[in-house]
Amino acid sequence: MKPGELLQDKLVLVVDDEPDVLEAVAETLEMCTVHKVSDYETALQHLLGYTYDVVVLDLMGVNGFDLLKVAVKRGFPTLILTAHALTPESLKKSIRLGAVSFLPKERMGDLVEHMEDVVLENGKPAWQKVFDKVGEVFNKRFGPDWKEKDKFFREFKEEFMRSEGVSRADRKD
């Protein structure tokens, strides 16, 4: 299967207050039908007026967390694409609010692959794949032991492993 094939003809909403990011994402997702939106009000109208296969949200400048709540309530798998809000707190809040993936903008070239993971998982969270693919970015930005320092991430990891049927003895971490 060729890269992007799983995304062929998917309807995607991309919300970011930076026009160059909107254009770059639209070019990257050329196999999709992309609605580009740069502000909260228009994004809210789109979320309420269309049915999306995937939503891609920035957090800063567009009230991304509020939009995430609406997208999740509507049942749209939502991927966070951010630069300025790349913090453990934003990652944690995104997980809690129902995002299915989280990608630093510096890894925007991996967007198709992350979105395909979401499609392959039928819109369910793809967090293990996220941590496998961009964990080094998080470690570099947050420190190598950031997950161990935070109770939420320790418990999240344990819960994820249980749900995947991975025993402590079988884990590679």
Side-chain angles (χ1 to χ4, degrees):
M1 190 173 289
K2 293 186 290 189
E5 200 169 317
L6 285 172
L7 301 177
Q8 190 68 43
D9 300 323
K10 298 292 185 192
L11 182 58
V12 179
L13 174 64
V14 180
V15 183
D16 198 298
D17 61 329
E18 299 177 53
D20 57 326
V21 171
L22 289 173
E23 289 306 316
V25 171
E27 286 177 25
T28 300
L29 300 178
E30 66 182 357
M31 72 294 293
C32 302
T33 299
V34 177
H35 291 174
K36 301 177 291 185
V37 176
S38 62
D39 65 274
Y40 172 82
E41 288 300 326
T42 307
L44 185 59
Q45 290 172 5
H46 276 70
L47 286 170
L48 296 175
Y50 293 91
T51 300
Y52 290 101
D53 295 300
V54 180
V55 174
V56 179
L57 293 176
D58 185 18
L59 294 175
M60 303 298 284
V62 292
N63 297 329
F65 288 121
D66 291 338
L67 293 172
L68 174 58
K69 291 175 193 174
V70 174
V72 168
K73 187 174 182 177
R74 294 278 333 267
F76 305 148
T78 305
L79 182 148
I80 303 302
L81 179 66
T82 194
H84 302 297
L86 187 56
T87 66
E89 293 74 27
S90 292
L91 176 58
K92 186 187 318 184
K93 189 171 182 179
S94 296
I95 292 169
R96 283 185 170 144
L97 292 176
V100 297
S101 191
F102 191 100
L103 184 63
K105 282 185 182 173
E106 65 193 70
R107 297 290 296 268
M108 197 173 354
D110 299 334
L111 181 60
V112 168
E113 185 179 351
H114 279 260
M115 287 181 59
E116 286 181 328
D117 289 342
V118 170
V119 170
L120 282 172
E121 297 293 331
N122 293 314
K124 292 186 240 164
W127 290 110
Q128 186 60 47
K129 291 178 182 178
V130 170
F131 289 123
D132 288 348
K133 292 176 182 176
V134 295
E136 78 279 357
V137 175
F138 296 152
N139 291 342
K140 183 178 174 186
R141 208 58 153 332
F142 309 154
D145 57 351
W146 66 276
K147 284 186 282 191
E148 289 73 31
K149 287 181 179 178
D150 189 299
K151 181 181 176 188
F152 171 84
F153 289 112
R154 287 192 311 271
E155 291 174 354
F156 180 74
K157 184 177 181 181
E158 289 297 322
E159 179 60 32
F160 179 81
M161 292 298 189
R162 274 194 300 279
S163 72
E164 294 292 308
V166 179
S167 72
R168 285 182 186 261
D170 294 335
R171 293 196 337 221
K172 295 183 253 179
D173 59 312

